[in-house]
Amino acid sequence: MVRFIAEPVWSWPLVALAAVALIAVVLLTYPPRIRHLPPLRRRLLLGMRLASAVLLIWALLRPAVQYLEIDSQAAVLVVLMDKSRSMTTPDGPGGITRREELLKVLAESDEQLEELAEDIEIRYVDFDSTLFPTDEPGAEADGQFTALGKVLDETRREDAGKRLVGIVLISDGAQRAVGEDDVDPRAAARRIAEERGVQIHTVLVGTSELATAGLDLSVEDVLVAPDTFEKKTTPVQAQVRLIGASGRKVKVRLLLEDRTGKSAGESGELVEIPYSADAKPMAEIETRENSTVIPVDLSFVAQQAGEYKLAIEVVPLDGELKVNNNRVETLITVRKGGLKVAYFDILRPEAGKLLRLNQTSQIQLDWQVVLAGERQSATQIDPALFAPGAYDVYIIGDVPASVFRLGGTDLLLRLAERVEQGAGLAMIGGRRNFGSGGYGGTRLREYLPVLMASTETLTGDQVDPSRHHSRKLQMIPTRDGLRHYLMQIAPRDNERMWRNLPPLAGATRLEEKSENVEVLAESDDGVPLLFAADTGRARVVAFAADDTYRWHLHGFEDVHQRFWQQLILWLAHKEHDADAPVWVRVEPKNFAPGARVPIVFGARDAEKQPIEDAEFKVEVLTPAGERKELTVVRGGAEALAEFSGTEEPGDYWVTVTALQDGAALSLPAMARFIVDARDLELDNPAADPDLMEEIASVTGAVPLPPEQFGTFLDELLDEGISTEITRQTQVNLWDNWWLLGAFVLLLACEWFLRKRRGLV
């Protein structure tokens, strides 16, 4: 079939108007200029000018000739059938496996499929992480893991010469791939819809509820900080999935690696963590449901610095066959300098905000609540809080000195001993501390950096307004404070940030006791607010305010956290911790089998600047004892390497040696990562109906329940599937060389003739 078409450069009315105008201009303006020529010559020139105009009009119309040809092409319907190991889960009707349910769905629709095969080709393809074309689908389901996205991409690329009319995906819909095989199924489905123009009809077999899967306990979604500090309580959160454990008590516990006698490259035994006042390493849970997920909160206190393996385990129950998913292991780094802070204060807003310091990995703040008013005498403070090494920093809030007298024991004497040994001490604003609280008559008078006298002590409900500023005070750094570590709350415009903070509501009247005391902050009208001093081995601070929590309430949470964190670090002499010259980092610490592990490392000098000309040697020690050297890629201040030999579960040790001019810069840096001993395919074999629905919807289809697959095939038969393709060939009659050549030739000939007659 041949047809003539025109696609004008403008709308038809505009093109018609332009054509009429062009012809009119030629007929009205050209004949008067050549009226003196002989008739034959006159007609020839006018005809050539009109022909040129007609060619222009022709080009404006952009005419073309279309040739339509009907061609028959083989049409293909692809049936993708999941054969991964999760398809052996017996959660189908009557307890059959998912693979058996898949075969049953096909067998029940055998007549429709045979009738459909008379018009189109039906390709049956098994899959797990790749495609396996088959003529006879079998009951075997032995695929290692499911890679739906990769499989859909492979289907899109195969048989590009054939017309793909649709894809039927029969699966439990759970993507369980790692590494390069982990392709997003939604994105792969979208590419099929855009490039091949077909729909993916999903048929879900299996259920997301595994109540029929027998007894199975598993640990999932473990959350723990990868870095912590000595003596700090470290929380551990996890989800425990219980299947078939209704009415039974389940024990969940933490295990920590015992590295006694172990050298680098050797793994230690995992042992139970004992209970303590600061740690909860074990919990018992119970459910009345047959399938549920329960959150569990545990904690532990690391006693020594180093890198350790930590495991959270749900203890197997009698009759549980699959136990490799009962434990999740990870690595934590315990650093020296973990700070424990004992904080004594009444119930007030400042105390509540200071507790947020526990969100940092380096500080553990224990609030010893002191009762206020008449009940204050009932407060019992544990003398163990003042034992040597118990705490690194002590903070006293609005608490009188009398609270620290336990019978005949003065606990402030023990606190003074701790300060002499180097513990940090701070006292913050209040009505019943400093001189008013009786501290001028205690040993702490020698250490706190402000003037106090025993005669200042107030008793009972006495209040002395002269000892307090009861107006708003804008806290700003002094000249010394601007240079002090404690007052650095912003990397740029530090002073402006201080002036932007909400003002304090008031403060205790304090005065430095000697010239050795630094006043680091004051109000904008000169009221001293923050005093700091070194006294022997210790550092001490007196802070006249008690309402920095207002910063937090007005959106300066980070500033509040930074100020108090720096105050505690300074008190504990921890503001300048140094790092090793050679370092290596592997993040995350846990990987699935087959994953690629990124390794980042480098070297730095004493000023912590990268050593650009350092040469690196990187080795990985596998669980089997093999050493594998990696290729190093330089990337500026950091160097990179990648390790892909992670098939075997267990501990892997990375060693990085840095050389400069052939000599080692320092001892090698080491890091460890874990390849989980988990079975991605079977640890949690629940089906994923949501993913199957998304795959169908992005291609314009709807998911099909197994019982409706036959109805779907009937609809295909009723509608019919055309195997004819209309091929269209278009030849443009304006965008070619001869049209341009004819136009140029006409203009050139006309110009030549007019030149001969002296008209040019």
Side-chain angles (χ1 to χ4, degrees):
M1 180 186 300
V2 180
R3 63 175 180 170
F4 179 83
I5 62 172
E7 297 176 345
V9 66
W10 304 311
S11 64
W12 277 103
L14 284 178
V15 171
L17 183 61
V20 171
L22 187 59
I23 297 298
V25 168
V26 172
L27 294 178
L28 294 176
T29 63
Y30 198 64
R33 298 172 58 191
I34 58 174
R35 68 164 57 96
H36 62 283
L37 298 178
L40 183 59
R41 187 61 57 85
R42 200 166 57 239
R43 294 189 187 97
L44 179 60
L45 288 174
L46 180 59
M48 295 175 73
R49 181 59 66 92
L50 286 171
S52 299
V54 170
L55 287 179
L56 282 177
I57 296 170
W58 181 264
L60 289 175
L61 292 173
R62 297 198 298 185
V65 175
Q66 275 189 353
Y67 298 92
L68 301 179
E69 299 176 338
I70 305 299
D71 188 17
S72 294
Q73 185 183 40
V76 180
L77 175 69
V78 176
V79 181
L80 297 175
M81 303 169 294
D82 195 342
K83 62 166 290 186
S84 60
R85 288 175 298 135
S86 63
M87 295 293 286
T88 61
T89 305
D91 58 353
I96 63 175
T97 67
R98 295 173 184 175
R99 182 68 182 187
E100 291 169 342
E101 184 180 2
L102 180 153
L103 296 176
K104 182 175 179 233
V105 167
L106 294 177
E108 291 176 346
S109 304
D110 188 58
E111 292 184 6
Q112 294 102 314
L113 290 169
E114 287 184 2
E115 186 177 350
L116 198 60
E118 296 176 1
D119 298 322
I120 63 173
E121 177 186 352
I122 300 180
R123 288 187 59 218
Y124 296 95
V125 182
D126 281 330
F127 73 88
D128 51 12
S129 61
T130 191
L131 300 177
F132 303 95
T134 181
D135 294 327
E136 285 292 333
E140 298 82 8
D142 53 4
Q144 191 66 21
F145 55 84
T146 311
L148 292 174
K150 180 187 175 188
V151 163
L152 291 175
D153 271 342
E154 289 181 357
T155 304
R156 172 176 54 86
R157 290 189 289 262
E158 284 198 358
D159 291 335
K162 294 185 179 181
R163 181 179 170 227
L164 189 62
V165 296
I167 297 174
V168 175
L169 174 63
I170 311 178
S171 170
D172 56 19
Q175 168 90 348
R176 299 185 181 94
V178 296
E180 295 179 352
D181 293 331
D182 190 12
V183 179
D184 184 4
R186 304 162 192 81
R190 189 174 291 109
R191 286 189 288 269
I192 285 180
E194 292 173 352
E195 297 181 20
R196 302 299 295 269
V198 299
Q199 296 178 332
I200 301 176
H201 307 277
T202 58
V203 180
L204 177 72
V205 289
T207 175
S208 57
E209 297 294 334
L210 294 182
T212 60
L215 177 63
D216 185 43
L217 315 179
S218 62
V219 177
E220 302 174 353
D221 300 329
V222 175
L223 181 62
V224 59
D227 293 277
T228 188
F229 290 83
E230 293 176 323
K231 307 176 187 177
K232 174 173 173 58
T233 300
T234 303
V236 181
Q237 298 175 324
Q239 302 279 347
V240 176
R241 184 180 296 274
L242 307 179
I243 298 175
S246 175
R248 302 179 68 175
K249 290 186 177 180
V250 175
K251 180 180 177 182
V252 185
R253 63 181 180 177
L254 292 177
L255 304 171
L256 190 65
E257 184 180 27
D258 180 6
R259 296 203 53 76
T260 304
K262 300 295 181 181
S263 59
E266 293 182 291
S267 300
E269 181 184 359
L270 289 168
V271 298
E272 288 192 15
I273 302 173
Y275 270 102
S276 70
D278 300 319
K280 181 190 174 185
M282 194 177 302
E284 275 194 350
I285 57 178
E286 186 176 1
T287 180
R288 295 298 175 186
E289 300 179 25
N290 205 38
S291 177
T292 187
V293 176
I294 299 176
V296 177
D297 293 319
L298 303 175
S299 62
F300 70 99
V301 176
Q303 299 299 328
Q304 292 183 332
E307 185 183 65
Y308 298 90
K309 186 190 297 184
L310 176 73
I312 180 169
E313 179 186 59
V314 52
V315 178
L317 293 176
D318 292 339
E320 185 178 2
L321 299 179
K322 183 176 63 176
V323 296
N324 65 331
N325 59 346
N326 288 53
R327 177 189 293 185
V328 170
E329 299 175 354
T330 188
L331 296 172
I332 59 166
T333 300
V334 180
R335 303 189 185 279
K336 287 185 178 296
L339 301 178
K340 292 198 70 174
V341 180
Y343 173 41
F344 305 90
D345 209 345
I346 60 175
L347 290 167
R348 56 177 179 163
E350 188 78 327
K353 298 306 179 188
L354 287 183
L355 280 175
R356 292 179 176 267
L357 288 168
N358 285 326
Q359 296 176 358
T360 68
S361 61
Q362 197 168 0
I363 296 172
Q364 172 71 37
L365 186 142
D366 295 332
W367 179 17
Q368 311 300 318
V369 180
V370 177
L371 302 176
E374 297 178 355
R375 297 181 299 162
Q376 203 162 71
S377 59
T379 301
Q380 296 291 321
I381 295 179
D382 188 353
L385 299 175
F386 305 97
Y391 286 93
D392 304 283
V393 174
Y394 292 86
I395 299 177
I396 299 176
D398 195 6
V399 176
S402 59
V403 170
F404 293 94
R405 296 187 181 96
L406 184 65
T409 303
D410 187 353
L411 297 178
L412 291 181
L413 291 176
R414 298 189 181 184
L415 176 56
E417 293 175 358
R418 302 291 79 77
V419 174
E420 288 176 354
Q421 294 168 359
L425 173 63
M427 185 173 287
I428 63 177
R431 301 276 178 178
R432 290 288 184 271
N433 55 3
F434 292 107
S436 300
Y439 288 91
T442 70
R443 281 280 306 277
L444 293 191
R445 175 185 175 183
E446 302 175 20
Y447 303 105
L448 288 171
V450 292
L451 292 173
M452 296 182 296
S454 58
T455 56
E456 296 176 347
T457 304
L458 299 178
T459 59
D461 296 329
Q462 287 182 307
V463 175
D464 187 352
S466 66
R467 299 183 187 182
H468 298 273
H469 297 281
S470 299
R471 55 186 173 82
K472 291 186 176 180
L473 301 170
Q474 182 67 51
M475 181 175 174
I476 57 175
T478 61
R479 180 179 299 178
D480 291 336
L482 283 173
R483 298 189 298 269
H484 200 282
Y485 164 80
L486 199 156
M487 301 299 291
Q488 304 304 309
I489 61 172
R492 296 181 181 178
D493 298 327
N494 184 53
E495 185 175 5
R496 180 184 297 178
M497 175 60 78
W498 277 106
R499 293 185 179 276
N500 288 339
L501 293 176
L504 304 171
T508 305
R509 290 182 184 271
L510 299 175
E511 181 182 351
E512 69 271 25
K513 69 178 182 181
S514 72
E515 60 183 14
N516 295 324
V517 174
E518 291 184 285
V519 179
L520 301 181
E522 61 186 12
S523 69
D524 50 5
D525 57 355
V527 174
L529 297 173
L530 184 62
F531 308 79
D534 285 88
T535 172
R537 297 170 58 185
R539 286 173 173 175
V540 292
V541 161
F543 186 28
D546 63 353
D547 57 349
T548 60
Y549 70 90
R550 295 177 183 275
W551 304 347
H552 199 284
L553 298 179
H554 287 80
F556 294 94
E557 300 95 333
D558 293 343
V559 172
H560 181 272
Q561 188 93 338
R562 187 178 300 119
F563 170 74
W564 282 102
Q565 184 173 338
Q566 290 175 180
L567 186 146
I568 290 172
L569 291 174
W570 183 80
L571 286 171
H573 296 80
K574 296 295 183 181
E575 72 272 26
H576 297 303
D577 286 346
D579 293 316
V582 182
W583 57 272
V584 57
R585 183 172 67 247
V586 180
E587 293 179 353
K589 298 291 188 182
N590 291 70
F591 295 87
R596 294 181 178 273
V597 178
I599 303 170
V600 183
F601 47 92
R604 52 193 160 214
D605 57 22
E607 285 73 37
K608 298 186 180 181
Q609 297 301 311
I611 301 175
E612 301 290 348
D613 60 345
E615 299 178 0
F616 297 99
K617 179 181 179 182
V618 183
E619 286 186 339
V620 175
L621 177 64
T622 70
E626 300 179 7
R627 292 189 178 273
K628 298 184 179 181
E629 188 169 347
L630 307 183
T631 301
V632 176
V633 178
R634 296 303 297 257
E638 299 179 339
L640 310 170
E642 187 178 72
F643 180 68
S644 57
T646 55
E647 292 79 13
E648 184 179 1
D651 294 0
Y652 290 72
W653 297 82
V654 181
T655 304
V656 176
T657 305
L659 305 173
Q660 189 177 36
D661 299 327
L665 286 170
S666 70
L667 292 175
M670 297 193 71
R672 182 168 40 155
F673 63 90
I674 297 174
V675 174
D676 294 325
R678 303 294 293 264
D679 190 329
L680 292 179
E681 188 67 25
L682 293 180
D683 275 355
N684 179 20
D688 191 345
D690 293 337
L691 180 57
M692 292 288 275
E693 182 176 358
E694 290 181 69
I695 291 173
S697 63
V698 297
T699 65
V702 294
L704 300 170
E707 59 272 13
Q708 292 184 9
F709 181 62
T711 304
F712 163 72
L713 294 178
D714 289 334
E715 292 175 355
L716 278 185
L717 290 169
D718 293 340
E719 295 172 1
I721 299 177
S722 174
T723 60
E724 293 183 345
I725 294 180
T726 301
R727 299 186 183 277
Q728 176 180 293
T729 305
Q730 180 170 306
V731 178
N732 291 328
L733 302 179
W734 60 276
D735 185 16
N736 47 59
W737 67 267
W738 58 263
L739 182 66
L740 179 61
F743 182 74
V744 172
L745 181 62
L746 284 171
L747 291 180
C749 290
E750 188 224 1
W751 181 86
F752 177 75
L753 292 176
R754 289 192 294 116
K755 180 74 173 175
R756 290 281 303 271
R757 292 294 178 174
L759 298 176
V760 177

